[in-house]
Amino acid sequence: MKLNLITFSFLLILLTACGEYNKVLKNPDKMVRYEYAKKYYEEAKYNRAATLFQDLVPLMRGSSYAEESLYLLAQSYYKMKDYKTASEYFKSYYTNFPRGEYAELARYYSANGLYLDSPDPRLDQTDTYKAMQQFQDFLEYYPQTDKKQEVQQALFAMQEKLALKELMAVKLYYNLGDYLLYPFPGGNYLSCVITAQNAMRSYPYSQYRENFMYYIFKSKYAMAIKSVEDKKEFRYRDVIDEYYAYIHDYPEGKYSKEIKKLYENIDKVSKD
């Protein structure tokens, strides 16, 4: 009996709340809807707030409530973790109100939304590049911002994601080896070297730098061993150079033992 009473009370509260919300949606007075939209936002009822603000934004255009309506609409989607939609509305805010009260925050959250929505490194990274560009623009507009450290950390994290994507491509080329040979000398191994070298130039401080150097060495080693006679001497020297470059940077590296054994083999073969 007590449980039934509690259930009934809960349903009554729920119906009352739903009834209130439906009345607000139908209310012709935009200021009433505006106040309720803010109320729902403050109560963390972001879905209701977003629905109301969505209708109010065009109605408030040109009024003193236009800025806050658009900003809170964007924040409602952000709080619901619909980051892509939120980013679009934040961008709309700082485009329409470049000197508005919330311009700095809108630029930050627009970029951060894209960052939080940034896809797995195996997927297309268009949104990651967009997020990076928006963060860089943010720092140019607000060089003294108190969010500078957060932004720099996000930029570094996205650079690492892009570096990891490049490392995946490097591994793929190396693993393909002689399979599906390209119509140029070196084939997949050369593609592995070029991709790794470009990645090292683009992301010189990446945690994957050692991995790139390892695959450069291994690919050049494979090309040297399988090389035609007139190119062997040059390629042997190239492998030896890569060995010393790796050992110089990573004397106790995780691949140092493997690389040393391969180097010793090349060194021996080159002297025969």
Side-chain angles (χ1 to χ4, degrees), residues 223-225 227-241 266 269-272:
M223 286 191 288
I225 292 296
S227 182
V228 294
E229 198 63 38
D230 62 339
K231 291 185 178 180
K232 278 187 176 180
E233 184 179 350
F234 166 76
R235 287 184 171 170
Y236 287 160
R237 288 201 305 269
D238 205 13
V239 173
I240 292 168
D241 288 344
I266 282 286
V269 170
S270 66
K271 292 174 181 176
D272 287 346

Side-chain angles (χ1 to χ4, degrees), residues 183-250:
F184 55 80
N188 292 307
Y189 290 124
L190 183 58
S191 295
C192 177
V193 170
I194 292 170
T195 304
Q197 288 174 336
N198 288 339
M200 285 175 66
R201 281 192 288 270
S202 297
Y203 314 107
Y205 306 110
S206 172
Q207 64 179 309
Y208 304 113
R209 187 173 181 275
E210 182 182 358
N211 301 72
F212 291 131
M213 293 186 76
Y214 168 73
Y215 281 105
I216 289 171
F217 174 87
K218 289 270 286 185
S219 293
K220 288 189 175 184
Y221 178 87
M223 286 191 288
I225 292 296
K226 300 175 183 181
S227 182
V228 294
E229 198 63 38
D230 62 339
K231 291 185 178 180
K232 278 187 176 180
E233 184 179 350
F234 166 76
R235 287 184 171 170
Y236 287 160
R237 288 201 305 269
D238 205 13
V239 173
I240 292 168
D241 288 344
E242 291 299 337
Y243 165 76
Y244 282 113
Y246 176 89
I247 292 300
H248 177 271
D249 289 355
Y250 302 99

Side-chain angles (χ1 to χ4, degrees), residues 120-122 163-173 212:
D120 184 279
R122 290 169 294 185
L164 178 56
K165 185 175 181 67
E166 292 302 302
L167 181 58
M168 290 176 176
V170 165
K171 287 181 178 179
L172 178 62
Y173 282 129
F212 291 131

Side-chain angles (χ1 to χ4, degrees), residues 21-267:
Y21 176 60
N22 287 327
K23 286 179 182 178
V24 172
L25 284 174
K26 296 174 185 177
N27 196 306
D29 189 333
K30 65 181 180 182
M31 291 311 300
V32 171
R33 281 182 284 156
Y34 175 73
E35 291 302 324
Y36 267 97
K38 288 180 67 176
K39 173 178 174 286
Y40 289 137
Y41 179 83
E42 289 165 3
E43 293 174 350
K45 297 174 181 176
Y46 301 119
N47 190 43
R48 291 184 177 187
T51 301
L52 288 168
F53 281 125
Q54 193 88 50
D55 291 334
L56 287 166
V57 165
L59 298 176
M60 294 298 187
R61 193 169 292 132
S63 75
S64 58
Y65 303 99
E67 279 192 49
E68 188 175 50
S69 296
L70 183 53
Y71 180 73
L72 290 178
L73 172 60
Q75 279 289 5
S76 295
Y77 280 109
Y78 189 88
K79 300 288 188 184
M80 289 191 288
K81 299 185 179 182
D82 185 347
Y83 297 121
K84 197 158 191 173
T85 303
S87 181
E88 290 172 3
Y89 281 119
F90 282 125
K91 187 174 182 180
S92 177
Y93 176 92
Y94 67 73
T95 301
N96 287 285
F97 308 103
R99 297 185 179 180
E101 181 181 354
Y102 309 105
E104 180 177 346
L105 288 172
R107 281 190 176 274
Y108 169 77
Y109 282 114
S110 178
N112 203 55
L114 290 175
Y115 164 55
L116 293 173
D117 205 44
S118 178
D120 184 279
R122 290 169 294 185
L123 303 176
D124 179 72
Q125 295 299 305
T126 299
D127 283 347
T128 303
Y129 285 110
K130 285 181 181 178
M132 292 176 73
Q133 186 59 59
Q134 286 196 20
F135 270 136
Q136 287 162 357
D137 292 343
F138 174 78
L139 290 177
E140 287 182 17
Y141 275 95
Y142 307 102
Q144 304 303 319
T145 179
D146 59 0
K147 294 186 179 296
K148 190 171 185 177
Q149 187 175 356
E150 294 172 44
V151 171
Q152 289 173 334
Q153 288 174 347
L155 283 168
F156 184 75
M158 285 186 283
Q159 286 177 337
E160 286 296 88
K161 178 179 284 189
L162 295 175
L164 178 56
K165 185 175 181 67
E166 292 302 302
L167 181 58
M168 290 176 176
V170 165
K171 287 181 178 179
L172 178 62
Y173 282 129
Y174 180 79
N175 290 333
L176 284 172
D178 293 326
Y179 182 66
L180 295 175
L181 283 176
Y182 281 47
F184 55 80
N188 292 307
Y189 290 124
L190 183 58
S191 295
C192 177
V193 170
I194 292 170
T195 304
Q197 288 174 336
N198 288 339
M200 285 175 66
R201 281 192 288 270
S202 297
Y203 314 107
Y205 306 110
S206 172
Q207 64 179 309
Y208 304 113
R209 187 173 181 275
E210 182 182 358
N211 301 72
F212 291 131
M213 293 186 76
Y214 168 73
Y215 281 105
I216 289 171
F217 174 87
K218 289 270 286 185
S219 293
K220 288 189 175 184
Y221 178 87
M223 286 191 288
I225 292 296
K226 300 175 183 181
S227 182
V228 294
E229 198 63 38
D230 62 339
K231 291 185 178 180
K232 278 187 176 180
E233 184 179 350
F234 166 76
R235 287 184 171 170
Y236 287 160
R237 288 201 305 269
D238 205 13
V239 173
I240 292 168
D241 288 344
E242 291 299 337
Y243 165 76
Y244 282 113
Y246 176 89
I247 292 300
H248 177 271
D249 289 355
Y250 302 99
E252 302 297 328
K254 57 186 175 182
Y255 303 113
S256 57
K257 289 182 180 179
E258 178 187 354
I259 283 180
K260 187 177 181 182
K261 286 182 181 178
L262 295 175
Y263 157 73
E264 288 171 348
N265 182 50
I266 282 286
D267 190 47

